[in-house]
Amino acid sequence: MRYAMAVDTKKCVGCSDCVVACQTENNVPNGYCRDWIVEVVAGSYPNVEIELRSERCNHCDNSPCVRCCPTGASHIVEGGVVLVTHNECIGCGACIQSCPYDARYSHPEGYVDKCTFCHHRLEKGQQPACVEVCPTNCLYFGDLDDPNSDVSKALRNRKWKVLAPEAGTKPQIYFLT
Amino acid sequence: MKSRRDFIKISAAGTGVAALGLTSLNWKGATTLLGANENDPVSDEELKLYPTYCEVCFWKCAGWAYVDKNGSIRKVIGNKEDPHCNGRLCPRGTGGIGMYNDEDRLKTPLIRETVNGEEVFRKASWDEALDLIAEKMDKLRKEHGPECLALFSHGTGGAMMGHLVKAYGSPNITAPSFAQCRGPREVAFAATYGEEVMSPERTDIRDTRCLVLIGSHIGENMHNGQIQEMSDAIDQGATIITVDPRFSTAASHSKYWLPIKPATDIALLQAWMHVIINEELYDKAYVEKYAFGFDELKADVQNKTPEWAYGITTIEPEIIRKTAREMAAASPAVIVHPGRHVTWYGDDTQRSRAIAILNALLGSWGRRGGFYFPDKVHLPKYPSPPYPKPKRSWRDAYPEGKYKLVSEVLSTGICDATIPNPNLSCHLRGWIVYGTNLMAALPDQEKTLEAIRNLDFLVVVDTMPMDITGYADVVLPECTYLERYDILRTSPHREPYLALRMPAAPPKYDSKPNWWIAKQLGERLGLGDYFKWDTIEDMLDWQLKQVDSSLEEMQKIGVKKYKREYEDLYLLENLIDYEFNTNTGKIELYSTELELEGFDPIPQYTQHPEPPSGYYRLNYGRAPMHTFSRTSNNPNLFDLMDENSVWVNPKVAALWELKKDEYVWLKNQDGVVTDFPIKVRVTERIRWDSVYMVHGFGHNNKKLTRAYGRGASDSKLITKVMEDPIMGGTGMRGNFVTFLKEDPNREEIES
Ligand code: SF4
Ligand code: SF4
Ligand code: SF4
């Protein structure tokens, strides 16, 4: 089993619903976020293009954040989900430094926090909160080993890219272009 | 690639910014939300669900409030059975919980008082505040007649307040949603098809093959059902054509973006008609069967060639032809979208007419993928006596016959009727303002203030202290939608639906629901017969039992679907015989009604003033995470966007030496300057002749501890109003601004 997500940049409108849904679902304190929006503008008026991306931890196959964690708080569970055990984390921030995507933040209560793919929901057979809420339905989630999962189908039918492939982290968030 | 830091700039919340914000925030709301030392998310199974429908905007999506065992509302999630949201709330609905948690909420009734020559608010009990309002209303009724009272309202609770004001005897009930928003399109579509567009819009975007947006920025305005259906249409490969001087999000998702010169849309619409008629691309059978005035229209657009329009709109003739053909190829599954906020240049009813006519040529009204015929649940009213018949109205402020085609009360008309004038035997003297921040909602703030100065009393009912609150004599704190029952939602859709809102938690502080306030005032004014139910539960249960349901059932399901009365969703699909509710019984391409009132029966392009040198046209719009000026202080939504910025083309920025993220003040053509500075966003997404800002920022009420002084108010800069002579709409896009790099207020002190 390999969980992954595909983000359709042709449909995303950058509304940030995925951000606020994550914040309320996961009690992320105001002022912090586990997912965020990036808008890239290219060209000059009137030949302009925009790419809108909802970004979050890439749950990398080759994850430097897990390797560099001195306490083992950062770890990988079934399906490739990268998690941080809050009460084992000493807040040293090594993982924050090592992540090429800036996907982690220091929680005000002293530990490092990041996207969990809503692990507590996956356990109950639910989708991540951001996927469930997105009004444009542009987030596809599921198991890459299952050819019928939403994410497998999206990647089969569309062109896609990943971010910073040169970092060698084998990220598992795909962007449909 | 942009880093996470860029999120801070776009969505304006991030670790750096927030670390500062933290110290100034009162975290009580958040900690109770989190529970004691427990940051881990809670499984849905441990939460209790209460049905609600969202009140963060007018779309009214049905959802569920999830409440934990401590009674705290944890989150609000869409109801999957509801066609307004299909289980997915928009960011504002998801962040609606912030309305409930906002520690700046109005907490107790307030009464204006003069202490040592200074006017202040003092806390009051509900009895004292309600007695005072009832006393003022009774005096007004006796001395000047009940017609001297007006109600401004926005949102669901306005219905109960409206019931009170009608029972009291006044016809002056208004909402800014007509004259400042969708009025022109309703009047134009009624003149063409004999029916309005309604809300939610009857656009069949889900099944369309071609969607044409004229300045309508779906995706930035999060009208939930529409954005969802637009996304479905993208999936199905529908063609999107966006006409906008700004490269909107919708434009970025479109096959064609037409970067039109502002204020020239009618010329483009006429050229499209020209192509569609002259190339014989229109739906001939449909036009022949249903339309009136085709020959007149055809003759009229003969010289409106794409080449003619090019000179006006700057859109290349070939693109005009190509897009016209795309529309025709998709016909009848094509929507030239009527838009929603359409009060732009004062000829807005005519522009909306041109849109309505174009749709008629394409045969899209009443067809799949075009405009459907909505249906709704007809809920019987709880028995109450008939309303008294008013003897006067706001219309008396104007000469006989003006605004004959106005189908709702003009909010600006209420202002006019409040300022003494020789036409008026008696000007309005009392206002109740419910749930609308008039200072931001109405243009021309000076006129609003002049009206307010002529009032004997002003009552504001709201959940938050807004700019208008500061002018009130009595302020009544309402509880939020998550803490109250309201009337049932019966809005029209493809199928009729009912939705229930019930409290998920008791009202915080000393706040009360609108129905209780209305009933209390009604009883004090001797109008108890109009409120014969004990609590709103009794009224709702009685109503629901008339339509085979009950309060008990609705508390479990939240949303109930009914059957359509007739199978007529796409009524005109097979060109059945049908009589439209117009003078001719036909779709009026040539409007007999407008002709009768002395207006152009066929829409014509007229030139509008252009910005003087050194000035730029002020355009404004929405951000997906905010509603008007109402949500800027909501802790969750403030976190997503905490200020607006002024969009400036790089060429203009170079000319003025404006740097990215620099703060400037904006000054308009009448010398009016923003109260607060606004951040510059240098972007290729905007033309060099205009600037753009998101509406609803620059709050001037210090009680809004987050939103106060953040960003600038476009409303303040809208001092020039281009009035629509047909329906009294306030065209707001004829204002021009320039940049001030120094604080103008400081300059004043020095000089
Ligand atoms: S909720 Fe969906 S559309 Fe909105 S920003 Fe997130 S991914 Fe994009
Ligand atoms: S995105 Fe960053 S935090 Fe997430 S797994 Fe990869 S390296 Fe680790
Ligand atoms: S569109 Fe958004 S704010 Fe409006 S009612 Fe729906 S969820 Fe609420």
Side-chain angles (χ1 to χ4, degrees):
Chain A
M1 187 162 71
R2 196 7 162 151
Y3 286 121
M5 190 186 290
V7 180
D8 190 343
T9 63
K10 296 282 179 233
K11 292 203 295 182
C12 174
V13 292
C15 69
S16 305
D17 204 359
C18 46
V19 179
V20 61
C22 170
Q23 288 169 324
T24 55
E25 178 69 33
N26 294 299
N27 294 325
V28 178
N30 286 351
Y32 300 83
C33 57
R34 290 177 170 190
D35 55 347
W36 61 95
I37 311 303
V38 170
E39 175 189 309
V40 185
V41 182
S44 58
Y45 195 98
N47 299 305
V48 203
E49 274 178 43
I50 307 178
E51 182 173 281
L52 287 162
R53 296 195 301 260
S54 166
E55 293 188 3
R56 56 189 54 55
C57 167
N58 283 279
H59 296 274
C60 305
D61 258 354
N62 179 18
S63 41
C65 56
V66 173
R67 261 182 285 123
C68 76
C69 175
T71 64
S74 280
H75 63 290
I76 303 178
V77 298
E78 208 207 339
V81 181
V82 176
L83 297 177
V84 184
T85 308
H86 293 163
N87 53 16
E88 285 175 20
C89 173
I90 53 170
C92 71
C95 54
I96 298 181
Q97 295 300 318
S98 77
C99 170
Y101 306 98
D102 205 3
R104 295 174 166 237
Y105 71 95
S106 285
H107 192 283
E109 286 182 22
Y111 54 82
V112 168
D113 190 42
K114 62 179 268 304
C115 161
T116 59
F117 270 166
C118 286
H119 195 254
H120 63 289
R121 294 174 61 87
L122 301 184
E123 282 176 328
K124 309 260 176 205
Q126 294 171 300
Q127 302 248 316
C130 55
V131 175
E132 285 252 295
V133 83
C134 171
T136 67
N137 223 328
C138 78
L139 303 176
Y140 303 97
F141 183 80
D143 178 4
L144 283 182
D145 293 338
D146 172 5
N148 291 320
S149 69
D150 292 344
V151 65
S152 298
K153 282 194 266 183
L155 294 179
R156 204 160 50 236
N157 298 332
R158 294 276 297 274
K159 280 203 218 122
W160 52 261
K161 66 175 181 190
V162 294
L163 299 178
E166 68 282 359
T169 54
K170 301 207 179 126
Q172 296 304 315
I173 305 286
Y174 298 84
F175 295 90
L176 307 177
T177 55
Chain B
M1 189 199 78
K2 296 199 170 190
S3 75
R4 185 189 185 87
R5 297 287 166 259
D6 290 304
F7 165 73
I8 298 170
K9 278 151 208 146
I10 304 163
S11 289
T15 39
V17 177
L20 282 177
L22 270 180
T23 45
S24 65
L25 288 184
N26 173 351
W27 277 93
K28 290 231 174 61
T31 20
T32 36
L33 179 74
L34 298 179
N37 305 324
E38 179 58 274
N39 287 350
D40 290 340
V42 178
S43 150
D44 286 355
E45 288 148 24
E46 290 168 46
L47 301 170
K48 196 166 166 352
L49 275 62
Y50 294 87
T52 185
Y53 59 89
C54 181
E55 189 70 22
V56 189
C57 90
F58 44 74
W59 208 259
K60 305 192 199 304
C61 300
W64 300 99
Y66 285 63
V67 177
D68 68 18
K69 54 181 187 304
N70 303 324
S72 294
I73 306 175
R74 308 279 298 213
K75 59 181 179 183
V76 191
I77 302 287
N79 185 323
K80 291 202 163 69
E81 305 306 316
D82 183 37
H84 291 229
C85 74
N86 305 299
R88 294 163 184 266
L89 298 181
C90 89
R92 300 162 299 159
T94 308
I97 189 169
M99 248 171 105
Y100 166 71
N101 283 324
D102 197 326
E103 60 302 342
D104 290 339
R105 278 171 57 172
L106 291 169
K107 299 186 176 79
T108 63
L110 300 170
I111 293 177
R112 176 185 294 266
E113 214 179 48
T114 312
V115 180
N116 302 331
E118 207 188 319
E119 303 214 333
V120 290
F121 279 131
R122 104 177 131 74
K123 289 183 186 167
S125 70
W126 275 95
D127 271 334
E128 191 190 359
L130 292 166
D131 284 346
L132 178 64
I133 298 169
E135 183 194 312
K136 299 245 183 201
M137 284 173 75
D138 190 44
K139 187 159 173 258
L140 182 70
R141 170 168 72 178
K142 288 192 181 117
E143 289 177 5
H144 302 285
E147 298 90 345
C148 286
L149 181 76
L151 167 69
F152 290 86
S153 80
H154 180 91
T156 310
M160 272 292 172
M161 300 307 287
H163 176 62
L164 170 71
V165 170
K166 283 183 218 161
Y168 174 80
S170 173
N172 302 316
I173 300 173
T174 186
S177 54
F178 184 79
Q180 280 70 50
C181 196
R182 52 179 179 76
R185 80 163 196 211
E186 306 299 11
V187 171
F189 274 69
T192 314
Y193 298 101
E195 273 187 67
E196 302 191 345
V197 180
M198 306 193 212
S199 178
E201 285 79 4
R202 54 203 290 173
T203 44
D204 201 21
I205 303 178
R206 184 182 71 187
D207 285 332
T208 199
R209 301 294 313 144
C210 179
L211 175 64
V212 185
L213 302 173
I214 316 279
S216 171
H217 56 342
I218 298 181
E220 284 159 284
N221 72 42
M222 280 315 276
H223 304 163
N224 202 349
Q226 296 201 43
I227 178 69
Q228 295 191 12
E229 294 197 11
M230 182 168 98
S231 187
D232 291 346
I234 293 174
D235 262 343
Q236 280 152 38
T239 300
I240 303 179
I241 300 168
T242 298
V243 180
D244 201 317
R246 186 178 62 97
F247 192 57
S248 61
T249 305
S252 78
H253 287 352
S254 300
K255 182 167 172 193
Y256 298 94
W257 170 43
L258 279 51
I260 194 164
K261 180 173 164 183
T264 65
D265 311 83
I266 297 183
L268 174 68
L269 290 158
Q270 285 180 293
W272 271 339
M273 290 181 209
H274 171 98
V275 176
I276 287 169
I277 291 175
N278 283 25
E279 295 190 6
E280 302 204 14
L281 300 172
Y282 61 96
D283 188 332
K284 289 203 190 93
Y286 183 96
V287 167
E288 202 162 294
K289 174 135 187 124
Y290 296 130
F292 170 82
F294 178 76
D295 294 337
E296 288 85 345
L297 178 69
K298 182 173 177 176
D300 192 85
V301 297
Q302 278 319 298
N303 56 356
K304 309 299 183 314
T305 62
E307 283 70 19
W308 165 81
Y310 174 52
I312 297 167
T313 62
T314 72
I315 304 299
E316 308 246 356
E318 256 334 283
I319 294 289
I320 298 180
R321 291 203 168 83
K322 226 172 163 175
T323 44
R325 289 173 197 145
E326 285 262 11
M327 289 178 222
S331 150
V334 47
I335 298 164
V336 187
H337 200 287
R340 186 154 182 132
H341 173 80
V342 289
T343 45
W344 300 349
Y345 307 116
D347 55 0
D348 307 302
T349 306
Q350 292 292 11
R351 186 184 62 256
S352 300
R353 271 271 299 153
I355 290 171
I357 293 169
L358 194 55
N359 279 301
L361 293 175
L362 295 162
S364 65
W365 185 263
R367 315 286 275 284
R368 183 185 289 274
F371 294 78
Y372 58 78
F373 276 67
D375 198 1
K376 62 183 273 187
V377 179
H378 297 278
L379 204 59
K381 250 191 107 189
Y382 193 91
S384 90
Y387 297 128
K389 230 178 139 38
K391 294 183 209 66
R392 287 172 282 141
S393 93
W394 62 279
R395 285 180 186 268
D396 302 340
Y398 303 107
E400 176 81 34
K402 196 171 179 195
Y403 296 139
K404 262 200 170 154
L405 301 179
V406 174
S407 50
E408 295 178 27
V409 179
L410 296 178
S411 41
T412 31
I414 296 293
C415 290
D416 281 335
T418 305
I419 300 167
N421 106 29
N423 283 331
L424 285 169
S425 57
C426 176
H427 70 95
L428 305 188
R429 290 160 195 269
W431 282 7
I432 300 175
V433 179
Y434 174 83
T436 171
N437 183 16
L438 287 189
M439 300 322 290
L442 303 184
D444 196 355
Q445 293 184 347
E446 250 325 296
K447 184 159 140 189
T448 313
L449 287 174
E450 193 190 341
I452 290 175
R453 282 193 290 270
N454 281 289
L455 288 174
D456 294 347
F457 67 93
L458 169 57
V459 178
V460 168
V461 187
D462 215 324
T463 62
M464 293 295 298
M466 289 299 196
D467 305 313
I468 183 70
T469 321
Y471 297 97
D473 296 301
V474 186
V475 179
L476 300 179
E478 196 185 10
C479 54
T480 67
Y481 70 104
L482 292 167
E483 304 157 293
R484 68 185 197 228
Y485 277 105
D486 253 302
I487 58 164
L488 293 152
R489 189 197 78 189
T490 57
S491 12
H493 215 278
R494 291 186 180 93
E495 312 283 341
Y497 279 88
L498 281 185
L500 172 73
R501 172 185 293 158
M502 70 177 291
K508 276 195 185 179
Y509 314 115
D510 197 7
S511 61
K512 300 276 188 194
N514 60 71
W515 59 266
W516 184 88
I517 296 171
K519 183 172 157 74
Q520 287 290 322
L521 284 173
E523 284 168 355
R524 281 171 167 78
L525 287 159
L527 304 170
D529 278 358
Y530 290 88
F531 299 90
K532 276 214 158 143
W533 30 271
D534 281 335
T535 65
I536 193 169
E537 282 111 309
D538 301 334
M539 184 195 96
L540 296 175
D541 193 47
W542 181 90
Q543 284 189 298
L544 285 163
K545 289 204 166 117
Q546 314 303 307
V547 290
D548 288 335
S549 181
S550 65
L551 188 56
E552 200 190 340
E553 183 192 36
M554 290 301 287
Q555 286 171 339
K556 288 191 201 111
I557 57 177
V559 160
K560 188 173 165 115
K561 181 174 171 181
Y562 286 80
K563 269 189 103 60
R564 284 184 72 96
E565 203 174 337
Y566 304 103
E567 287 305 316
D568 57 356
L569 183 62
Y570 304 118
L571 181 64
L572 310 179
E573 200 70 77
N574 301 313
L575 299 185
I576 59 149
D577 290 338
Y578 183 73
E579 193 174 322
F580 293 84
N581 189 19
T582 56
N583 292 340
T584 54
K586 301 259 183 194
I587 300 174
E588 295 204 350
L589 305 178
Y590 182 99
S591 171
T592 55
E593 191 182 38
L594 289 178
E595 185 177 41
L596 209 65
E597 297 302 322
F599 301 113
D600 283 333
I602 294 174
Q604 302 298 333
Y605 164 73
T606 45
Q607 205 181 344
H608 295 300
E610 304 213 2
S613 151
Y615 282 76
Y616 304 87
R617 187 181 296 274
L618 174 65
N619 256 320
Y620 53 82
R622 308 253 177 257
M625 45 301 254
H626 284 289
T627 304
F628 316 139
S629 67
R630 300 169 58 192
T631 54
S632 3
N633 203 67
N634 173 318
N636 298 73
L637 302 179
F638 177 84
D639 202 24
L640 299 177
M641 178 179 180
D642 60 359
E643 64 184 321
N644 58 356
S645 59
V646 56
W647 296 28
V648 178
N649 182 282
K651 288 196 186 86
V652 177
L655 195 71
W656 287 84
E657 294 178 358
L658 298 175
K659 281 184 269 335
K660 173 172 178 261
D661 296 345
E662 165 178 1
Y663 281 89
V664 294
W665 286 258
L666 299 177
K667 182 174 92 171
N668 80 355
Q669 71 286 335
D670 297 327
V672 172
V673 181
T674 53
D675 293 336
F676 306 103
I678 182 170
K679 201 191 250 182
V680 173
R681 175 179 180 184
V682 180
T683 175
E684 294 286 357
R685 294 179 62 183
I686 185 139
R687 269 175 77 104
W688 48 86
D689 55 4
S690 38
V691 296
Y692 173 81
M693 61 202 273
V694 169
H695 169 77
F697 288 84
H699 279 278
N700 215 342
N701 190 334
K702 287 196 175 138
K703 297 241 157 58
L704 300 173
T705 55
R706 277 173 292 271
Y708 171 76
R710 292 294 195 117
S713 160
D714 56 323
S715 312
K716 174 124 204 227
L717 297 168
I718 301 175
T719 50
K720 175 162 183 210
V721 173
M722 301 163 95
E723 204 206 45
D724 191 325
I726 302 177
M727 48 61 69
T730 55
M732 300 193 249
R733 298 208 171 156
N735 289 272
F736 309 117
V737 299
T738 190
F739 311 101
L740 300 180
K741 298 188 104 180
E742 301 283 318
D743 184 345
N745 309 316
R746 200 185 58 192
E747 267 173 16
E748 249 169 51
I749 296 163
E750 278 168 5
S751 58

